[in-house]
PDB file of all heavy atoms in Angstrom:
ATOM      1  N   ASN A 552       0.816  -1.223   0.000  1.00 82.00           N
ATOM      2  CA  ASN A 552       0.002   0.002   0.001  1.00 82.00           C
ATOM      3  C   ASN A 552       0.849   1.268   0.000  1.00 82.00           C
ATOM      4  O   ASN A 552       0.546   2.244   0.702  1.00 82.00           O
ATOM      5  CB  ASN A 552      -0.954   0.009   1.207  1.00 82.00           C
ATOM      6  CG  ASN A 552      -1.902  -1.172   1.199  1.00 82.00           C
ATOM      7  OD1 ASN A 552      -2.406  -1.562   0.144  1.00 82.00           O
ATOM      8  ND2 ASN A 552      -2.150  -1.755   2.363  1.00 82.00           N
ATOM      9  N   ILE A 553       1.922   1.258  -0.785  1.00 88.00           N
ATOM     10  CA  ILE A 553       2.757   2.448  -0.939  1.00 88.00           C
ATOM     11  C   ILE A 553       2.129   3.344  -2.008  1.00 88.00           C
ATOM     12  O   ILE A 553       1.873   2.881  -3.128  1.00 88.00           O
ATOM     13  CB  ILE A 553       4.193   2.067  -1.330  1.00 88.00           C
ATOM     14  CG1 ILE A 553       4.827   1.193  -0.248  1.00 88.00           C
ATOM     15  CG2 ILE A 553       5.031   3.315  -1.566  1.00 88.00           C
ATOM     16  CD1 ILE A 553       4.977   1.863   1.096  1.00 88.00           C
ATOM     17  N   PRO A 554       1.857   4.606  -1.708  1.00 88.00           N
ATOM     18  CA  PRO A 554       1.231   5.502  -2.699  1.00 88.00           C
ATOM     19  C   PRO A 554       2.134   5.691  -3.921  1.00 88.00           C
ATOM     20  O   PRO A 554       3.362   5.600  -3.820  1.00 88.00           O
ATOM     21  CB  PRO A 554       1.068   6.823  -1.922  1.00 88.00           C
ATOM     22  CG  PRO A 554       1.182   6.460  -0.485  1.00 88.00           C
ATOM     23  CD  PRO A 554       2.091   5.275  -0.417  1.00 88.00           C
ATOM     24  N   PRO A 555       1.544   5.976  -5.082  1.00 88.00           N
ATOM     25  CA  PRO A 555       2.352   6.228  -6.287  1.00 88.00           C
ATOM     26  C   PRO A 555       3.306   7.403  -6.084  1.00 88.00           C
ATOM     27  O   PRO A 555       2.995   8.358  -5.374  1.00 88.00           O
ATOM     28  CB  PRO A 555       1.300   6.543  -7.355  1.00 88.00           C
ATOM     29  CG  PRO A 555       0.057   5.873  -6.863  1.00 88.00           C
ATOM     30  CD  PRO A 555       0.099   5.980  -5.373  1.00 88.00           C
ATOM     31  N   GLY A 556       4.475   7.302  -6.714  1.00 89.00           N
ATOM     32  CA  GLY A 556       5.461   8.370  -6.621  1.00 89.00           C
ATOM     33  C   GLY A 556       6.869   7.828  -6.758  1.00 89.00           C
ATOM     34  O   GLY A 556       7.075   6.617  -6.903  1.00 89.00           O
ATOM     35  N   GLU A 557       7.848   8.728  -6.722  1.00 89.00           N
ATOM     36  CA  GLU A 557       9.256   8.348  -6.794  1.00 89.00           C
ATOM     37  C   GLU A 557       9.841   8.340  -5.382  1.00 89.00           C
ATOM     38  O   GLU A 557       9.652   9.283  -4.617  1.00 89.00           O
ATOM     39  CB  GLU A 557      10.034   9.307  -7.699  1.00 89.00           C
ATOM     40  CG  GLU A 557       9.639   9.209  -9.160  1.00 89.00           C
ATOM     41  CD  GLU A 557      10.550  10.011 -10.067  1.00 89.00           C
ATOM     42  OE1 GLU A 557      11.710  10.236  -9.676  1.00 89.00           O
ATOM     43  OE2 GLU A 557      10.101  10.414 -11.153  1.00 89.00           O
ATOM     44  N   TYR A 558      10.556   7.274  -5.062  1.00 93.00           N
ATOM     45  CA  TYR A 558      11.060   7.084  -3.701  1.00 93.00           C
ATOM     46  C   TYR A 558      12.571   6.829  -3.727  1.00 93.00           C
ATOM     47  O   TYR A 558      13.104   6.262  -4.698  1.00 93.00           O
ATOM     48  CB  TYR A 558      10.366   5.895  -3.031  1.00 93.00           C
ATOM     49  CG  TYR A 558       8.898   6.098  -2.794  1.00 93.00           C
ATOM     50  CD1 TYR A 558       7.967   5.830  -3.795  1.00 93.00           C
ATOM     51  CD2 TYR A 558       8.423   6.569  -1.565  1.00 93.00           C
ATOM     52  CE1 TYR A 558       6.604   6.026  -3.582  1.00 93.00           C
ATOM     53  CE2 TYR A 558       7.072   6.760  -1.345  1.00 93.00           C
ATOM     54  CZ  TYR A 558       6.169   6.486  -2.353  1.00 93.00           C
ATOM     55  OH  TYR A 558       4.823   6.674  -2.139  1.00 93.00           O
ATOM     56  N   VAL A 559      13.225   7.246  -2.656  1.00 92.00           N
ATOM     57  CA  VAL A 559      14.619   6.849  -2.421  1.00 92.00           C
ATOM     58  C   VAL A 559      14.624   5.979  -1.168  1.00 92.00           C
ATOM     59  O   VAL A 559      13.785   6.154  -0.270  1.00 92.00           O
ATOM     60  CB  VAL A 559      15.545   8.071  -2.233  1.00 92.00           C
ATOM     61  CG1 VAL A 559      15.651   8.854  -3.512  1.00 92.00           C
ATOM     62  CG2 VAL A 559      15.067   8.960  -1.085  1.00 92.00           C
ATOM     63  N   TYR A 560      15.532   5.036  -1.144  1.00 94.00           N
ATOM     64  CA  TYR A 560      15.614   4.160   0.029  1.00 94.00           C
ATOM     65  C   TYR A 560      17.045   4.137   0.565  1.00 94.00           C
ATOM     66  O   TYR A 560      18.014   4.330  -0.180  1.00 94.00           O
ATOM     67  CB  TYR A 560      15.153   2.739  -0.304  1.00 94.00           C
ATOM     68  CG  TYR A 560      16.055   1.991  -1.260  1.00 94.00           C
ATOM     69  CD1 TYR A 560      17.189   1.300  -0.805  1.00 94.00           C
ATOM     70  CD2 TYR A 560      15.796   1.959  -2.628  1.00 94.00           C
ATOM     71  CE1 TYR A 560      18.015   0.614  -1.669  1.00 94.00           C
ATOM     72  CE2 TYR A 560      16.623   1.278  -3.506  1.00 94.00           C
ATOM     73  CZ  TYR A 560      17.722   0.604  -3.022  1.00 94.00           C
ATOM     74  OH  TYR A 560      18.556  -0.073  -3.890  1.00 94.00           O
ATOM     75  N   ASP A 561      17.145   3.913   1.874  1.00 94.00           N
ATOM     76  CA  ASP A 561      18.435   3.739   2.541  1.00 94.00           C
ATOM     77  C   ASP A 561      18.347   2.491   3.404  1.00 94.00           C
ATOM     78  O   ASP A 561      17.409   2.341   4.196  1.00 94.00           O
ATOM     79  CB  ASP A 561      18.772   4.945   3.423  1.00 94.00           C
ATOM     80  CG  ASP A 561      19.159   6.167   2.606  1.00 94.00           C
ATOM     81  OD1 ASP A 561      20.232   6.140   1.995  1.00 94.00           O
ATOM     82  OD2 ASP A 561      18.365   7.124   2.580  1.00 94.00           O
ATOM     83  N   VAL A 562      19.316   1.604   3.250  1.00 93.00           N
ATOM     84  CA  VAL A 562      19.426   0.421   4.096  1.00 93.00           C
ATOM     85  C   VAL A 562      20.641   0.626   4.989  1.00 93.00           C
ATOM     86  O   VAL A 562      21.761   0.828   4.494  1.00 93.00           O
ATOM     87  CB  VAL A 562      19.567  -0.867   3.264  1.00 93.00           C
ATOM     88  CG1 VAL A 562      19.745  -2.072   4.184  1.00 93.00           C
ATOM     89  CG2 VAL A 562      18.351  -1.058   2.373  1.00 93.00           C
ATOM     90  N   THR A 563      20.421   0.607   6.283  1.00 92.00           N
ATOM     91  CA  THR A 563      21.507   0.853   7.239  1.00 92.00           C
ATOM     92  C   THR A 563      21.648  -0.323   8.196  1.00 92.00           C
ATOM     93  O   THR A 563      20.696  -1.075   8.421  1.00 92.00           O
ATOM     94  CB  THR A 563      21.239   2.135   8.053  1.00 92.00           C
ATOM     95  OG1 THR A 563      19.967   2.012   8.708  1.00 92.00           O
ATOM     96  CG2 THR A 563      21.239   3.350   7.157  1.00 92.00           C
ATOM     97  N   VAL A 564      22.862  -0.471   8.738  1.00 91.00           N
ATOM     98  CA  VAL A 564      23.149  -1.509   9.727  1.00 91.00           C
ATOM     99  C   VAL A 564      23.306  -0.832  11.078  1.00 91.00           C
ATOM    100  O   VAL A 564      24.107   0.102  11.222  1.00 91.00           O
ATOM    101  CB  VAL A 564      24.431  -2.287   9.360  1.00 91.00           C
ATOM    102  CG1 VAL A 564      24.669  -3.412  10.377  1.00 91.00           C
ATOM    103  CG2 VAL A 564      24.334  -2.850   7.949  1.00 91.00           C
ATOM    104  N   GLU A 565      22.533  -1.286  12.042  1.00 89.00           N
ATOM    105  CA  GLU A 565      22.560  -0.655  13.365  1.00 89.00           C
ATOM    106  C   GLU A 565      23.946  -0.781  14.004  1.00 89.00           C
ATOM    107  O   GLU A 565      24.581  -1.837  13.925  1.00 89.00           O
ATOM    108  CB  GLU A 565      21.492  -1.295  14.262  1.00 89.00           C
ATOM    109  CG  GLU A 565      21.214  -0.477  15.508  1.00 89.00           C
ATOM    110  CD  GLU A 565      19.885  -0.827  16.133  1.00 89.00           C
ATOM    111  OE1 GLU A 565      18.847  -0.723  15.448  1.00 89.00           O
ATOM    112  OE2 GLU A 565      19.899  -1.208  17.311  1.00 89.00           O
ATOM    113  N   ASN A 566      24.414   0.322  14.596  1.00 84.00           N
ATOM    114  CA  ASN A 566      25.733   0.387  15.255  1.00 84.00           C
ATOM    115  C   ASN A 566      26.876   0.147  14.272  1.00 84.00           C
ATOM    116  O   ASN A 566      27.911  -0.411  14.619  1.00 84.00           O
ATOM    117  CB  ASN A 566      25.825  -0.606  16.414  1.00 84.00           C
ATOM    118  CG  ASN A 566      24.772  -0.349  17.476  1.00 84.00           C
ATOM    119  OD1 ASN A 566      24.474   0.796  17.789  1.00 84.00           O
ATOM    120  ND2 ASN A 566      24.210  -1.420  18.009  1.00 84.00           N
ATOM    121  N   ASN A 567      26.657   0.542  13.007  1.00 83.00           N
ATOM    122  CA  ASN A 567      27.672   0.338  11.976  1.00 83.00           C
ATOM    123  C   ASN A 567      27.498   1.426  10.932  1.00 83.00           C
ATOM    124  O   ASN A 567      26.380   1.888  10.672  1.00 83.00           O
ATOM    125  CB  ASN A 567      27.505  -1.054  11.351  1.00 83.00           C
ATOM    126  CG  ASN A 567      28.721  -1.473  10.539  1.00 83.00           C
ATOM    127  OD1 ASN A 567      29.063  -0.841   9.548  1.00 83.00           O
ATOM    128  ND2 ASN A 567      29.362  -2.543  10.973  1.00 83.00           N
ATOM    129  N   ASN A 568      28.599   1.828  10.291  1.00 83.00           N
ATOM    130  CA  ASN A 568      28.529   2.888   9.282  1.00 83.00           C
ATOM    131  C   ASN A 568      28.182   2.368   7.892  1.00 83.00           C
ATOM    132  O   ASN A 568      28.051   3.153   6.952  1.00 83.00           O
ATOM    133  CB  ASN A 568      29.872   3.636   9.216  1.00 83.00           C
ATOM    134  CG  ASN A 568      30.129   4.431  10.485  1.00 83.00           C
ATOM    135  OD1 ASN A 568      29.197   4.928  11.108  1.00 83.00           O
ATOM    136  ND2 ASN A 568      31.402   4.536  10.858  1.00 83.00           N
ATOM    137  N   THR A 569      28.048   1.046   7.730  1.00 84.00           N
ATOM    138  CA  THR A 569      27.746   0.466   6.423  1.00 84.00           C
ATOM    139  C   THR A 569      26.315   0.799   6.008  1.00 84.00           C
ATOM    140  O   THR A 569      25.387   0.700   6.818  1.00 84.00           O
ATOM    141  CB  THR A 569      27.915  -1.066   6.462  1.00 84.00           C
ATOM    142  OG1 THR A 569      29.218  -1.376   6.948  1.00 84.00           O
ATOM    143  CG2 THR A 569      27.729  -1.672   5.087  1.00 84.00           C
ATOM    144  N   SER A 570      26.137   1.206   4.761  1.00 88.00           N
ATOM    145  CA  SER A 570      24.800   1.526   4.264  1.00 88.00           C
ATOM    146  C   SER A 570      24.750   1.325   2.755  1.00 88.00           C
ATOM    147  O   SER A 570      25.783   1.238   2.083  1.00 88.00           O
ATOM    148  CB  SER A 570      24.406   2.959   4.616  1.00 88.00           C
ATOM    149  OG  SER A 570      25.264   3.868   3.958  1.00 88.00           O
ATOM    150  N   ALA A 571      23.534   1.253   2.218  1.00 88.00           N
ATOM    151  CA  ALA A 571      23.309   1.156   0.774  1.00 88.00           C
ATOM    152  C   ALA A 571      22.057   1.960   0.452  1.00 88.00           C
ATOM    153  O   ALA A 571      21.120   2.019   1.256  1.00 88.00           O
ATOM    154  CB  ALA A 571      23.141  -0.297   0.344  1.00 88.00           C
ATOM    155  N   SER A 572      22.041   2.590  -0.713  1.00 89.00           N
ATOM    156  CA  SER A 572      20.895   3.424  -1.073  1.00 89.00           C
ATOM    157  C   SER A 572      20.571   3.253  -2.548  1.00 89.00           C
ATOM    158  O   SER A 572      21.361   2.714  -3.326  1.00 89.00           O
ATOM    159  CB  SER A 572      21.176   4.892  -0.756  1.00 89.00           C
ATOM    160  OG  SER A 572      22.314   5.338  -1.481  1.00 89.00           O
ATOM    161  N   GLY A 573      19.389   3.721  -2.922  1.00 88.00           N
ATOM    162  CA  GLY A 573      18.942   3.628  -4.304  1.00 88.00           C
ATOM    163  C   GLY A 573      17.576   4.260  -4.444  1.00 88.00           C
ATOM    164  O   GLY A 573      17.118   4.993  -3.556  1.00 88.00           O
ATOM    165  N   SER A 574      16.907   3.981  -5.555  1.00 89.00           N
ATOM    166  CA  SER A 574      15.593   4.578  -5.797  1.00 89.00           C
ATOM    167  C   SER A 574      14.686   3.590  -6.506  1.00 89.00           C
ATOM    168  O   SER A 574      15.149   2.621  -7.122  1.00 89.00           O
ATOM    169  CB  SER A 574      15.733   5.855  -6.628  1.00 89.00           C
ATOM    170  OG  SER A 574      16.244   5.544  -7.921  1.00 89.00           O
ATOM    171  N   PHE A 575      13.389   3.830  -6.393  1.00 91.00           N
ATOM    172  CA  PHE A 575      12.398   3.064  -7.145  1.00 91.00           C
ATOM    173  C   PHE A 575      11.176   3.953  -7.344  1.00 91.00           C
ATOM    174  O   PHE A 575      11.030   4.998  -6.703  1.00 91.00           O
ATOM    175  CB  PHE A 575      12.025   1.767  -6.427  1.00 91.00           C
ATOM    176  CG  PHE A 575      11.342   1.940  -5.098  1.00 91.00           C
ATOM    177  CD1 PHE A 575       9.959   1.982  -4.999  1.00 91.00           C
ATOM    178  CD2 PHE A 575      12.090   2.075  -3.929  1.00 91.00           C
ATOM    179  CE1 PHE A 575       9.326   2.150  -3.775  1.00 91.00           C
ATOM    180  CE2 PHE A 575      11.470   2.239  -2.700  1.00 91.00           C
ATOM    181  CZ  PHE A 575      10.087   2.277  -2.619  1.00 91.00           C
ATOM    182  N   LYS A 576      10.297   3.511  -8.230  1.00 90.00           N
ATOM    183  CA  LYS A 576       9.108   4.304  -8.542  1.00 90.00           C
ATOM    184  C   LYS A 576       7.875   3.423  -8.479  1.00 90.00           C
ATOM    185  O   LYS A 576       7.894   2.281  -8.939  1.00 90.00           O
ATOM    186  CB  LYS A 576       9.243   4.931  -9.937  1.00 90.00           C
ATOM    187  CG  LYS A 576       8.084   5.851 -10.312  1.00 90.00           C
ATOM    188  CD  LYS A 576       8.308   6.486 -11.680  1.00 90.00           C
ATOM    189  CE  LYS A 576       7.167   7.436 -12.038  1.00 90.00           C
ATOM    190  NZ  LYS A 576       7.374   8.068 -13.358  1.00 90.00           N
ATOM    191  N   VAL A 577       6.798   3.979  -7.899  1.00 90.00           N
ATOM    192  CA  VAL A 577       5.490   3.318  -7.894  1.00 90.00           C
ATOM    193  C   VAL A 577       4.580   4.119  -8.819  1.00 90.00           C
ATOM    194  O   VAL A 577       4.363   5.318  -8.595  1.00 90.00           O
ATOM    195  CB  VAL A 577       4.899   3.255  -6.470  1.00 90.00           C
ATOM    196  CG1 VAL A 577       3.534   2.580  -6.497  1.00 90.00           C
ATOM    197  CG2 VAL A 577       5.838   2.506  -5.530  1.00 90.00           C
ATOM    198  N   VAL A 578       4.085   3.471  -9.865  1.00 85.00           N
ATOM    199  CA  VAL A 578       3.256   4.173 -10.848  1.00 85.00           C
ATOM    200  C   VAL A 578       1.783   3.903 -10.574  1.00 85.00           C
ATOM    201  O   VAL A 578       1.401   2.802 -10.159  1.00 85.00           O
ATOM    202  CB  VAL A 578       3.619   3.756 -12.290  1.00 85.00           C
ATOM    203  CG1 VAL A 578       5.016   4.205 -12.627  1.00 85.00           C
ATOM    204  CG2 VAL A 578       3.488   2.258 -12.479  1.00 85.00           C
ATOM    205  N   PRO A 579       0.916   4.902 -10.786  1.00 79.00           N
ATOM    206  CA  PRO A 579      -0.516   4.762 -10.487  1.00 79.00           C
ATOM    207  C   PRO A 579      -1.243   3.971 -11.563  1.00 79.00           C
ATOM    208  O   PRO A 579      -2.141   4.480 -12.249  1.00 79.00           O
ATOM    209  CB  PRO A 579      -0.998   6.214 -10.438  1.00 79.00           C
ATOM    210  CG  PRO A 579      -0.101   6.922 -11.387  1.00 79.00           C
ATOM    211  CD  PRO A 579       1.241   6.250 -11.279  1.00 79.00           C
ATOM    212  N   PHE A 580      -0.848   2.737 -11.711  1.00 68.00           N
ATOM    213  CA  PHE A 580      -1.441   1.892 -12.748  1.00 68.00           C
ATOM    214  C   PHE A 580      -1.547   0.475 -12.213  1.00 68.00           C
ATOM    215  O   PHE A 580      -0.561  -0.096 -11.753  1.00 68.00           O
ATOM    216  CB  PHE A 580      -0.562   1.911 -14.001  1.00 68.00           C
ATOM    217  CG  PHE A 580      -0.993   0.924 -15.052  1.00 68.00           C
ATOM    218  CD1 PHE A 580      -2.087   1.164 -15.843  1.00 68.00           C
ATOM    219  CD2 PHE A 580      -0.297  -0.262 -15.236  1.00 68.00           C
ATOM    220  CE1 PHE A 580      -2.474   0.259 -16.806  1.00 68.00           C
ATOM    221  CE2 PHE A 580      -0.674  -1.175 -16.191  1.00 68.00           C
ATOM    222  CZ  PHE A 580      -1.766  -0.914 -16.989  1.00 68.00           C
ATOM    223  N   GLU A 581      -2.742  -0.064 -12.225  1.00 68.00           N
ATOM    224  CA  GLU A 581      -2.950  -1.449 -11.809  1.00 68.00           C
ATOM    225  C   GLU A 581      -3.141  -2.287 -13.055  1.00 68.00           C
ATOM    226  O   GLU A 581      -4.086  -2.079 -13.823  1.00 68.00           O
ATOM    227  CB  GLU A 581      -4.165  -1.550 -10.882  1.00 68.00           C
ATOM    228  CG  GLU A 581      -3.961  -0.855  -9.551  1.00 68.00           C
ATOM    229  CD  GLU A 581      -5.156  -1.017  -8.632  1.00 68.00           C
ATOM    230  OE1 GLU A 581      -5.630  -2.152  -8.496  1.00 68.00           O
ATOM    231  OE2 GLU A 581      -5.612  -0.008  -8.082  1.00 68.00           O
ATOM    232  N   VAL A 582      -2.234  -3.222 -13.250  1.00 70.00           N
ATOM    233  CA  VAL A 582      -2.238  -4.010 -14.475  1.00 70.00           C
ATOM    234  C   VAL A 582      -3.538  -4.784 -14.645  1.00 70.00           C
ATOM    235  O   VAL A 582      -3.992  -5.040 -15.756  1.00 70.00           O
ATOM    236  CB  VAL A 582      -1.007  -4.955 -14.496  1.00 70.00           C
ATOM    237  CG1 VAL A 582      -1.125  -6.047 -13.438  1.00 70.00           C
ATOM    238  CG2 VAL A 582      -0.800  -5.552 -15.876  1.00 70.00           C
ATOM    239  N   GLU A 583      -4.186  -5.135 -13.530  1.00 69.00           N
ATOM    240  CA  GLU A 583      -5.429  -5.904 -13.606  1.00 69.00           C
ATOM    241  C   GLU A 583      -6.613  -5.048 -14.069  1.00 69.00           C
ATOM    242  O   GLU A 583      -7.683  -5.578 -14.345  1.00 69.00           O
ATOM    243  CB  GLU A 583      -5.732  -6.536 -12.243  1.00 69.00           C
ATOM    244  CG  GLU A 583      -4.806  -7.675 -11.862  1.00 69.00           C
ATOM    245  CD  GLU A 583      -4.999  -8.919 -12.709  1.00 69.00           C
ATOM    246  OE1 GLU A 583      -6.131  -9.175 -13.128  1.00 69.00           O
ATOM    247  OE2 GLU A 583      -4.012  -9.625 -12.963  1.00 69.00           O
TER     248      GLU A 583
END
C-alpha cells in the first residue's frame, strides 16, 4: 500500500557505518 510516486531508500546496519541506497518508482497503474 505504498502511494504512487518516486522514492529513495536507505538500508543501514545498526551500530555500523555500512549503508546502501537507491531509488524506485510506484506508478498509479494497476495491471489488472
Side-chain angles (χ1 to χ4, degrees):
N552 300 320
I553 299 297
E557 292 188 25
Y558 294 85
V559 293
Y560 67 85
D561 287 291
V562 177
T563 56
V564 183
E565 195 160 303
N566 300 321
N567 195 297
N568 292 327
T569 306
S570 64
S572 60
S574 64
F575 64 92
K576 184 177 182 180
V577 179
V578 294
F580 172 76
E581 293 182 48
V582 68
E583 289 291 327

